[in-house]
Amino acid sequence: MESAATPLEQIRQRIAQAAKIAGRRSADVALVAISKTHPAEAIRPLIAQGQRIFGENRVQEAAAKWAALREECPDIALHLVGQLQSNKADEAVRLFDSIQSLDRASLVTALARAMDRTGRQVECFVQVNIGAEPQKGGCAIAELPQLLDAARGAGIPLAGLMCVPPLDIEPAPFFALLDKLAADHGMAGRSMGMSNDFETAIMLGATHVRIGSALFGQRAG
Ligand SMILES: *Cc1c(COP(=O)(O)O)cnc(C)c1O
């Protein structure tokens, strides 16, 4: 009997299928495995199956967990997908290979300084508050042009735009809007789509899908 597909294999298949339907290449959709709250023992099996891009939302937690994992597997790319305080910019630039939560001018300044100090150039996604939700991170759509100008002016390497659409309503219009904003601003990357909606995001142009619970199971917190 064949053993059942692992969660990672299932997600890879679903990404490939969605890309195919969209007339895209699955190689153009990067899977970012969101390992926040999950211990190293839960992460190792994914690394063993070839997964190399992971996402965390807390600088401290990521630093503690990934020191050992990175020694075991040096070619990991770590993405920050959570709000970043300016006073942690240095640590974030040392630790992460991509920062997906650049959302304000003060953080542009802090990250540019951190990249200067550390000599590391870390690509950033500008996070857009795509549903204009007051409690959510991300820059307002109206402020996006200015923020992009500031980031470009400060020499920050920009990978694209990122969003987390509002919960519990159809995400497609928000994904379509992020895709349009990225196109308008000449940006290649669109980080959008999570466990519950990544196929829709791929149809609408996602280049990075951020998947946690569908790979690792539900988070405790
Ligand atoms: C936790 C998180 C995810 C993953 O969410 P799932 O629904 O578990 O796939 C993706 N993006 C961000 C920004 C997150 O904080």
Side-chain angles (χ1 to χ4, degrees):
M1 225 176 81
E2 269 183 55
S3 58
T6 65
L8 178 61
E9 287 164 346
Q10 292 176 33
I11 294 293
R12 283 174 174 159
Q13 278 170 16
R14 288 172 60 188
I15 289 173
Q17 183 65 18
K20 191 175 168 198
I21 292 168
R24 305 181 56 205
R25 301 181 328 147
S26 59
D28 294 337
V29 182
L31 169 58
V32 184
I34 305 296
S35 50
K36 65 187 184 197
T37 76
H38 297 288
E41 308 83 77
I43 297 171
R44 278 194 191 97
L46 270 72
I47 296 176
Q49 293 170 75
Q51 177 64 27
R52 289 295 178 270
I53 312 177
F54 289 86
E56 292 279 346
N57 69 340
R58 295 221 165 92
V59 176
Q60 241 55 47
E61 179 190 338
K65 255 174 15 193
W66 283 93
L69 289 168
R70 271 182 155 155
E71 276 189 22
E72 296 165 23
C73 182
D75 62 337
I76 294 291
L78 211 51
H79 289 223
L80 177 64
V81 298
Q83 265 226 334
L84 177 60
Q85 292 170 267
S86 294
N87 63 7
K88 293 198 178 137
D90 274 33
E91 203 181 351
V93 162
R94 284 200 189 90
L95 183 62
F96 291 98
D97 303 290
S98 180
I99 292 174
Q100 297 209 10
S101 48
L102 175 53
D103 63 355
R104 59 194 188 276
S106 58
L107 191 54
V108 165
T109 311
L111 284 171
R113 278 207 201 109
M115 290 185 204
D116 260 359
R117 271 199 290 263
T118 59
R120 256 175 72 79
Q121 290 292 105
V122 176
E123 59 159 45
C124 294
F125 289 77
V126 170
Q127 182 175 351
V128 181
N129 187 349
I130 203 78
E133 298 173 281
Q135 79 284 9
K136 234 181 215 161
C139 88
I141 291 172
E143 286 159 17
L144 181 61
Q146 269 175 294
L147 187 59
L148 289 174
D149 280 351
R152 288 181 173 127
I156 290 183
L158 290 177
L161 302 181
M162 179 272 209
C163 75
V164 181
L167 270 181
D168 300 327
I169 60 173
E170 170 57 49
F174 299 101
F175 294 151
L177 180 54
L178 193 82
D179 180 60
K180 179 179 187 305
L181 291 170
D184 287 351
H185 293 284
M187 310 199 77
R190 289 114 162 103
S191 174
M192 55 189 196
M194 318 200 317
S195 290
N196 291 329
D197 54 21
F198 68 90
E199 283 136 324
T200 305
I202 291 169
M203 308 283 174
L204 292 164
T207 60
H208 295 68
V209 291
R210 310 179 309 267
I211 301 183
S213 48
L215 288 171
F216 292 98
Q218 292 302 320
R219 288 175 293 274

